[in-house]
């Protein structure tokens, strides 16, 4: 439980962050600690979303059961991803509906699970951060965060407090980037068409940096931008808000081990 008013937060790092961009996890932990949280990272695995989206409910339930057990002791569960936070908070109850043992536990976990930026602003009441970032950025609203969790104003509010940062709104920022997890693998040509239209709009902003709250989306857009020879840098919003931008932009250079 919380200690001396410090909420005990279990950080759900996410598979992609763990394997591809650990610096996002460290940035998330810093933001939470700066906001007065006691942050812990229990042993964890995937949230089960790929299996769930593919219709493999048995595998999704098996993975979800592990997550429920791992995060049961915490006051809150926070993920630097609207996609994973949405899976836990919206779909775990669906997976265990009617299960007398796991349904109550799934509902309890869902009720205390949040996306990182939403948790900071909506739960903890954070209104500003002490960070500096020189340059113009634009922001992509990831589908799960926006449509399942209502995340839109929250990142913009905190970005507005970053010294030196100028935000230029992206035309049709709410339109999908084409990633969609397994969608980009199953429907490669359609995905490429969608991301091509997205990067064209990114270019029209003349922003030097693209931000978003989901690494999957960022990797998809960073890959397309790089193949197009674009100079736009790509970062997770948590890295900028935490003032942790020493790592090479997503899609460039060596990633953290």
């Amino acid at each position: 439980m919380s200690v001396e008013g410090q909420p005990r937060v279990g950080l759900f790092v996410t598979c992609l962050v763990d394997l591809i961009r650990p610096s996002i996890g460290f940035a998330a932990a810093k933001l939470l600690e700066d906001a007065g949280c006691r942050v812990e990272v229990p042993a964890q695995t995937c949230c089960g979303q790929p299996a769930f989206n593919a219709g493999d409910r048995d595998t999704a339930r098996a993975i979800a059961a592990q997550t429920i057990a791992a995060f049961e002791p915490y006051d809150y569960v926070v993920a630097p991803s609207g996609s994973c936070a949405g899976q836990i908070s919206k779909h775990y109850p669906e997976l265990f509906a009617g299960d007398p043992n796991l349904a109550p536990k799934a509902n309890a976990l869902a009720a205390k699970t949040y996306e990182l930026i939403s948790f900071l602003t909506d739960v903890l009441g954070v209104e500003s951060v002490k960070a500096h970032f020189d340059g113009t950025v634009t922001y992509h609203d990831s589908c799960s965060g926006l449509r399942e969790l209502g995340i839109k104003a929250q990142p913009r509010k905190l970005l507005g407090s970053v010294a030196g940062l100028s935000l230029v709104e992206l035309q049709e920022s709410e339109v999908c980037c084409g990633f969609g997890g397994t969608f980009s693998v199953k429907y490669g040509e359609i995905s490429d068409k969608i991301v091509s239209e997205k990067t064209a709009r990114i270019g029209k902003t003349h922003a030097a940096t693209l931000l978003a709250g989901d690494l999957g989306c960022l990797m998809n857009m960073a890959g397309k931008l790089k193949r197009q020879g674009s100079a736009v840098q790509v970062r997770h919003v948590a890295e900028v808000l935490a003032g942790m931008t020493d790592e090479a932009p997503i899609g460039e250079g060596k990633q953290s081990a």
Side-chain angles (χ1 to χ4, degrees):
M1 297 298 292
S2 57
V3 178
E4 297 179 354
Q6 273 191 314
R8 187 183 179 201
V9 172
L11 181 62
F12 188 85
V13 177
T14 83
C15 298
L16 287 181
V17 168
D18 182 39
L19 296 173
I20 305 297
R21 190 76 173 182
S23 58
I24 297 170
F26 289 113
K30 181 180 185 299
L31 287 168
L32 290 167
E33 288 172 347
D34 287 349
C37 298
R38 175 186 170 193
V39 182
E40 298 177 24
V41 184
Q44 57 192 265
T45 182
C46 176
C47 68
Q49 183 179 176
F52 180 83
N53 289 344
D56 185 355
R57 294 297 191 265
D58 289 340
T59 299
R61 275 189 287 269
I63 295 172
Q66 294 178 347
T67 303
I68 291 170
F71 286 91
E72 190 171 16
Y74 298 97
D75 298 325
Y76 298 100
V77 178
V78 176
S81 162
S83 172
C84 296
Q87 173 67 17
I88 297 171
S89 65
K90 302 299 181 183
H91 301 299
Y92 274 22
E94 174 186 345
L95 279 171
F96 295 105
D99 185 317
N101 179 40
L102 286 173
K105 294 182 178 181
N107 291 333
L109 181 63
K112 64 181 182 181
T113 297
Y114 296 86
E115 183 272 341
L116 172 66
I117 309 304
S118 174
F119 180 70
L120 291 170
T121 58
D122 299 335
V123 178
L124 298 183
V126 175
E127 296 187 351
S128 63
V129 295
K130 295 180 179 179
H132 187 279
F133 185 83
D134 283 320
T136 303
V137 307
T138 193
Y139 194 90
H140 164 72
D141 295 294
S142 300
C143 292
S144 293
L146 176 68
R147 293 171 176 83
E148 287 191 326
L149 305 177
I151 300 167
K152 175 74 174 180
Q154 299 93 324
R156 289 166 173 80
K157 178 179 182 178
L158 294 187
L159 287 170
S161 70
V162 177
L165 182 146
S166 176
L167 174 65
V168 178
E169 286 293 347
L170 174 63
Q171 182 183 15
E172 297 185 17
S173 65
E174 299 178 351
V175 172
C176 179
C177 73
F179 177 62
T182 55
F183 175 86
S184 61
V185 177
K186 293 179 178 179
Y187 305 100
E189 291 186 7
I190 299 174
S191 175
D192 183 65
K193 174 65 174 176
I194 295 171
V195 75
S196 295
E197 293 178 354
K198 175 64 70 171
T199 55
R201 291 191 290 271
I202 292 168
K204 290 179 180 178
T205 67
H206 301 292
T209 303
L210 168 68
L211 305 177
D214 268 278
L215 182 53
C217 302
L218 289 165
M219 289 171 58
N220 190 46
M221 294 182 289
K224 188 62 178 181
L225 287 165
K226 186 174 183 179
R227 291 190 295 274
Q228 292 173 333
S230 172
V232 174
Q233 297 189 349
V234 180
R235 293 189 180 277
H236 192 284
V237 64
E239 296 176 302
V240 171
L241 294 177
M244 297 173 66
T245 55
D246 292 337
E247 186 83 5
I250 294 168
E252 298 180 21
K254 183 179 179 180
Q255 305 297 334
S256 298

